[in-house]
Amino acid sequence: MLGHEEEKGIMFLTVEELFSKISSYSSDRDYKIKLWYLEIYNENIKDLLNPNDENCDLREDPQKGTIVSNISELNVSTSNDIMNLVRQGNKNRTQEATNANETSSRSHAILQILVEYKEKVTGIDAEIKIGKLSLIDLAGSERAKDTLNKGIRLLEGANINRSLLTLGNCINALCEANEKGTKPYVPYRDSKLTRLLKVN
């Protein structure tokens, strides 16, 4: 996702493109950009930009949809601001060695960028429009017989696989409903990952 200086990854390229678009419209619009960066580890949510022992909760808000309580929301103004915060947050991610990978990510990391803007010419009563971009570094699925995991590593692998299965089930349900033109039942609530990514 991140890549490196010689070869930028998807996350860096996406953020650069976002700010390029914002720059091209900024003569007519006022923008405000903020972000939060979190990980989901064993179905617990942790703030990667303000790490402590407390887990964050998911809550349902009638206007905003699913929100994360007590998460750090930081204002940013450049793509470098974002990437510096991502690098800082990645130092706080849960990683452990397994037989399959020396530095295996044991969590899903989710960067959410909220972009608000309003047209300059409309004055103080301008309608504010909001868009949210989610960039996700998923932990890889694991086969217990390949990793030979035991104890907490085995539990981590089971939680990773369960959330990835739920993500796949949600995508399949949405695709099937789109093809048939029906209103689907989508099992968002089976995982914190899919609850967080649900679009209202």
Side-chain angles (χ1 to χ4, degrees):
M1 285 290 286
L2 271 179
H4 43 78
E5 287 186 20
E6 295 78 26
E7 191 172 351
K8 296 173 182 175
I10 291 171
M11 187 176 280
F12 197 95
L13 293 172
T14 302
V15 167
E16 277 192 335
E17 180 66 17
L18 172 66
F19 278 91
S20 173
K21 293 292 184 188
I22 288 171
S23 177
S24 68
Y25 290 112
S26 60
S27 59
D28 300 319
R29 297 173 179 171
D30 287 320
Y31 282 91
K32 186 180 356 177
I33 303 110
K34 57 186 174 182
L35 63 76
W36 47 96
Y37 192 34
L38 58 89
E39 75 170 356
I40 301 175
Y41 169 70
N42 279 344
E43 285 299 292
N44 292 313
I45 298 175
K46 176 181 162 187
D47 186 344
L48 289 174
L49 298 177
N50 183 25
N52 54 50
D53 292 334
E54 291 184 22
N55 292 321
C56 301
D57 291 324
L58 282 182
R59 300 210 174 127
E60 302 295 330
D61 181 278
Q63 275 76 44
K64 298 178 182 178
T66 306
I67 59 170
V68 183
S69 65
N70 303 321
I71 194 80
S72 303
E73 292 186 1
L74 302 179
N75 294 313
V76 291
S77 53
T78 68
S79 57
N80 282 333
D81 288 347
I82 293 179
M83 296 317 299
N84 287 336
L85 289 170
V86 168
R87 290 186 188 99
Q88 174 189 325
N90 281 345
K91 293 176 184 175
N92 299 317
R93 269 189 86 179
T94 305
Q95 294 187 331
E96 295 290 344
T98 68
N99 283 357
N101 188 340
E102 280 187 19
T103 55
S104 175
S105 292
R106 312 308 293 161
S107 66
H108 306 304
I110 302 171
L111 172 69
Q112 292 194 309
I113 304 169
L114 195 73
V115 180
E116 297 181 4
Y117 79 86
K118 63 180 180 180
E119 303 293 340
K120 289 181 177 179
V121 294
T122 51
I124 59 170
D125 295 327
E127 179 185 5
I128 296 175
K129 297 187 178 178
I130 300 172
K132 184 163 68 175
L133 172 65
S134 297
L135 296 169
I136 306 143
D137 184 10
L138 294 170
S141 63
E142 296 186 341
R143 299 177 72 180
K145 71 175 187 177
D146 293 337
T147 59
L148 303 178
N149 285 342
K150 296 178 181 176
I152 188 65
R153 300 287 88 79
L154 186 62
L155 176 64
E156 290 167 350
N159 279 312
I160 289 167
N161 291 345
R162 191 177 302 116
S163 63
L164 292 174
L165 176 63
T166 301
L167 178 62
N169 289 342
C170 289
I171 292 169
N172 288 337
L174 290 167
C175 290
E176 185 176 330
N178 187 53
E179 288 172 5
K180 295 180 178 177
T182 58
K183 186 172 182 180
Y185 167 72
V186 184
Y188 292 115
R189 298 189 70 81
D190 290 356
S191 159
K192 288 190 177 173
L193 174 66
T194 47
R195 274 187 69 195
L196 188 59
L197 298 178
K198 179 183 176 184
V199 179
N200 298 313

